Amino acid sequence: DGLHLRSGLDRAKLSELHGNDFIEICQKCKRETFRSFVTYWPDTYRPTNPLGQHVTGRSCPHCGGALLDTCVDFDEAPDGDEVWGPNQVHGMARADDAMKKADLVVAWGTSLHVIAHYFDPWDPESAFLDRREEACSLAVINKGTVCDEELAVLKIEEDVDATMAALL
């Protein structure tokens, strides 16, 4: 929803692994364009998009290149193999570094299906553990099934807004 950046949070401290509904990335110059509307509607994320997957049909205001939405769909991983390549929105290098150091991952309101493609440091059998010494702990706040929830040290089966309100 873009609230992290709108709040003034430093981009260098944020990795939006699912992408950002309001940001497009230029295929040519890799610069970001912030929008006041959701960029991927109606079907830019589909492989059947006639312009190409994630191509929004808009042009970069900086260089005229084609703009891509940044939303990561299921079975995609923004790790350089997908259409975006390395970029500031997804911040995969920052996220990788943070996950190497994490003692605890707290997942709020996510099924973890996208993130589990490339980060799952809580799973003792994960290939990710080649990059760290041992598994970390996982805590989940989510309504519904979550990938790897059987590995969580805590699962709160509750609405994230209600949970946050109760904590505050």
Side-chain angles (χ1 to χ4, degrees):
D1 58 13
L3 292 178
H4 299 87
L5 291 175
R6 292 180 202 181
S7 75
L9 181 69
D10 182 0
R11 157 66 79 208
K13 296 181 179 183
L14 178 66
S15 295
E16 298 183 274
L17 302 177
H18 283 282
N20 185 311
D21 292 349
F22 299 94
I23 297 177
E24 295 169 301
I25 296 176
C26 178
Q27 266 186 319
K28 186 175 176 184
C29 73
K30 304 297 182 195
R31 291 174 76 177
E32 300 174 2
T33 300
F34 290 81
R35 301 290 188 186
S36 60
F37 55 86
V38 173
T39 63
Y40 65 85
W41 186 260
D43 63 357
T44 59
Y45 61 93
R46 298 182 192 277
T48 56
N49 179 3
L51 298 174
Q53 191 169 11
H54 296 285
V55 178
T56 66
R58 291 179 285 275
S59 298
C60 176
H62 308 287
C63 75
L67 291 174
L68 304 170
D69 71 53
T70 62
C71 296
V72 179
D73 201 17
F74 292 106
D75 298 322
E76 291 184 312
D79 58 6
D81 293 334
E82 298 292 345
V83 66
W84 307 278
N87 65 76
Q88 287 289 48
V89 173
H90 299 123
M92 295 300 291
R94 285 188 304 273
D96 187 74
D97 187 51
M99 288 293 195
K100 286 180 202 168
K101 298 173 185 172
D103 294 320
L104 172 68
V105 173
V106 180
W108 287 83
T110 175
S111 67
L112 292 175
H113 285 285
V114 172
I115 192 174
H117 279 284
Y118 37 85
F119 298 122
D120 57 353
W122 52 83
D123 185 346
E125 297 180 15
S126 170
F128 185 84
L129 292 183
D130 292 345
R131 299 185 296 226
R132 55 179 292 141
E133 291 183 24
E134 59 183 29
C136 68
S137 297
L138 172 66
V140 176
I141 300 94
N142 192 59
K143 276 188 154 181
T145 305
V146 174
C147 182
D148 291 341
E149 68 180 43
E150 70 281 0
L151 300 173
V153 296
L154 173 69
K155 171 144 192 242
I156 299 174
E157 179 80 24
E158 188 59 61
D159 179 81
V160 296
D161 291 332
T163 304
M164 182 60 79
L167 290 173
L168 297 176

